[in-house]
Amino acid sequence: MQREFGKKGLNYIFRNDTLIRILMVFPTVLLIFAFIYDSPTYIFSGIHKIVVSPDILLTDYLETGGLGAAFLNASLLTFANILIIYKLKAKINGPIIAALLTITGFSFFGKNIFNVWPIYLGGILYSRYRKTEFKNILIVMMFSTALAPIVTELSFGLHLTPYLRLPIGIVTGILSGFVATPLSANMNKLHDGYNLYNMGFTAGLIGTIFNSLLKSFNINIAQQKILSTEYDATLKLILLFFFLFLIVLGFLGNGRSFNGYERILKRSGRLVTDFTQHDGYSLTFLNMGIMGLLSMLFVIILGGVFNGPVFGSVLTVSGFSAFGKHPKNTIPIMAGVFLAGALKIWDLNATGVIIAGLFGTTLAPIAGKYGFLAGVVAGFLHLSVVMNVGIIHGGINLYNNGFSGGIVASLMFPVLEALKKGE
């Protein structure tokens, strides 16, 4: 880091190599904890279970393979993506941070060291076909791993010989990666940037096509609900360490102050809002840490258990706090989900409701642009939609909340715009 003196006092400039090292902190902690908690034999046995077992929503790798294996899977997958970022000399910005922490989070329920790579290969083939650098579509590819479960399902779930299953699964993953970039660009037009998980909307449509094709051949994907309950305290401790680390890092980098944070709170968060470029890395890290703690508080207030999906959801919210989310535009969404859960048929402490409240903040730009009440309505609608759309894609799309968010945003923003113009 380099020191900089200016009107706002002493601040730090984060160079790309320094940012790479910061991004390596969390996977390093996971790697250390993995081998402290479990023996190598148990860990690698668990990794095998994670790779070959179905990982359709919701599949908690902490329950499937154990804590050590889940931590190692997340650590290796995160390190691998950091290496790709480093080798491609990609600039560390808000979208990269959001994509990386999303991958880390979903490495606890759906993404593993096997099923993401065919999707990347599809992206490489697309970039060569379009004669563009893979670096230009890297972020889209990182988010496209939302479709990773289809690779596992077809590679290990079909009642065929492995010589047929594996190629089918890999080719399907490659095809998913190939079509993801052109589709995601067009999906953004439907919701006009008011759904931060744009790839979730895209992956939901792709997943729907795949699921429909499989059903046409009498291949039915069984949705799952495999959740752990025994690692609550450990997961809370690790998240608390990480978010306090981000707050301290941002606070010190911002001249030992919170000066300027109000600028972030004034932004709507609508795509594309990169806090690292608008407000600097120090304030971005502050926001990520604050949003992480806020997300943890939301889980605790609802009486939820920290398991793989909840852990991953909190990390994802923190990641997107470099790319659109802040307390002012997310609290209304959480309040809307809370209200819906209290009035409707679901238990507030159920994992599905809790992650809907966390991932539902994909609709944060609606609250950021149209106000608190609009955000509450968006959250209220989101819970009903997200609890019912999974059956359409069969759980193939890990970003089910992004799919739901795309539907809600596509319906709400034209209406809100019309009402605004009618004032």
Side-chain angles (χ1 to χ4, degrees):
M1 295 186 291
Q2 297 175 329
R3 295 189 177 189
E4 176 189 72
F5 290 89
K7 295 179 180 178
K8 300 168 188 174
L10 175 62
N11 293 280
Y12 286 102
I13 300 174
F14 290 86
R15 299 182 304 184
N16 219 55
D17 57 345
T18 303
L19 293 166
I20 289 285
R21 294 189 186 98
I22 292 170
L23 293 177
M24 291 176 66
V25 169
F26 193 70
T28 300
V29 171
L30 294 179
L31 184 63
I32 293 170
F33 261 83
F35 286 96
I36 288 176
Y37 198 90
D38 283 329
S39 68
T41 301
Y42 190 80
I43 288 173
F44 292 117
S45 172
I47 285 286
H48 178 262
K49 291 177 183 177
I50 285 173
V51 169
V52 302
S53 298
D55 38 31
I56 300 299
L57 286 176
L58 284 165
T59 304
D60 186 345
Y61 285 164
L62 290 165
E63 185 68 17
T64 303
L67 185 140
F71 275 20
L72 180 61
N73 178 65
S75 178
L76 292 177
L77 204 48
T78 307
F79 276 129
N81 278 274
I82 291 174
L83 180 61
I84 293 170
I85 292 167
Y86 175 76
K87 288 293 185 181
L88 292 177
K89 298 180 180 179
K91 179 177 175 59
I92 306 299
N93 53 23
I96 284 283
I97 293 171
L100 187 66
L101 280 187
T102 299
I103 284 177
T104 306
F106 278 89
S107 296
F108 286 87
F109 65 117
K111 301 182 184 183
N112 60 57
I113 55 175
F114 163 73
N115 64 13
V116 302
W117 304 119
I119 295 171
Y120 279 89
L121 181 55
I124 292 171
L125 293 176
Y126 176 81
S127 66
R128 292 186 176 180
Y129 175 77
R130 296 292 299 175
K131 295 181 173 58
T132 185
E133 292 185 64
F134 181 66
K135 180 170 70 173
N136 296 333
I137 62 167
L138 174 60
I139 294 169
V140 175
M141 285 301 102
M142 292 173 76
F143 284 125
S144 296
T145 52
L147 291 162
I150 190 61
V151 177
T152 302
E153 188 69 23
L154 296 181
S155 296
F156 303 109
L158 295 180
H159 298 293
L160 298 172
T161 172
Y163 298 107
L164 289 175
R165 291 196 316 248
L166 278 171
I168 290 173
I170 291 170
V171 169
T172 303
I174 292 171
L175 179 61
S176 300
F178 190 91
V179 302
T181 299
L183 285 175
S184 65
N186 284 281
M187 293 303 104
N188 189 49
K189 298 174 184 176
L190 291 176
H191 54 76
D192 204 34
Y194 288 99
N195 173 35
L196 291 176
Y197 303 160
N198 181 53
M199 182 48 68
F201 192 27
T202 307
L205 296 177
I206 297 173
T208 299
I209 296 296
F210 280 137
N211 188 40
S212 300
L213 285 171
L214 291 174
K215 285 181 177 292
S216 300
F217 289 97
N218 200 30
I219 300 172
N220 294 298
I221 298 175
Q223 288 187 267
Q224 302 190 134
K225 192 176 181 181
I226 301 172
L227 300 170
S228 64
T229 57
E230 58 186 297
Y231 306 112
D232 180 85
T234 301
L235 298 178
K236 284 178 182 174
L237 179 65
I238 290 174
L239 287 174
L240 183 62
F241 159 78
F242 182 53
F243 298 141
L244 290 178
F245 164 74
L246 290 174
I247 290 173
V248 171
L249 182 66
F251 181 77
L252 294 177
N254 195 49
R256 300 177 184 273
S257 78
F258 291 91
N259 290 339
Y261 185 57
E262 68 279 359
R263 294 199 307 270
I264 286 181
L265 298 178
K266 291 178 181 177
R267 302 194 186 280
S268 71
R270 181 183 172 194
L271 287 176
V272 177
T273 304
D274 183 348
F275 293 146
T276 67
Q277 304 306 301
H278 290 300
D279 306 293
Y281 290 95
S282 295
L283 289 174
T284 299
F285 289 141
L286 268 174
N287 190 52
M288 289 172 64
I290 290 169
M291 281 300 300
L293 294 180
L294 176 63
S295 299
M296 291 182 68
L297 181 62
F298 177 77
V299 179
I300 293 168
I301 288 174
L302 266 63
V305 174
F306 280 79
N307 48 38
V310 171
F311 187 82
S313 304
V314 172
L315 277 178
T316 302
V317 171
S318 178
F320 269 88
S321 300
F323 190 46
K325 299 184 183 182
H326 53 70
K328 190 175 179 181
N329 67 6
T330 54
I331 288 175
I333 307 297
M334 293 179 179
V337 172
F338 179 88
L339 179 62
L343 296 177
K344 298 177 184 178
I345 61 175
W346 302 286
D347 294 329
L348 280 172
N349 63 355
T351 293
V353 173
I354 289 171
I355 64 175
L358 294 169
F359 283 136
T361 54
T362 182
L363 293 165
I366 288 181
K369 177 66 181 291
Y370 299 105
F372 189 92
L373 182 59
V376 172
V377 173
F380 190 91
L381 293 175
H382 176 77
L383 181 61
S384 293
V385 176
V386 77
M387 295 299 249
N388 290 285
V389 297
I391 194 171
I392 301 174
H393 54 73
I396 291 173
N397 171 29
L398 291 173
Y399 304 164
N400 189 45
N401 281 268
F403 187 31
S404 168
I407 295 170
V408 173
S410 298
L411 292 174
M412 281 194 69
F413 101 82
V415 174
L416 290 168
E417 274 296 301
L419 292 174
K420 182 180 177 182
K421 291 176 181 177
E423 292 176 355

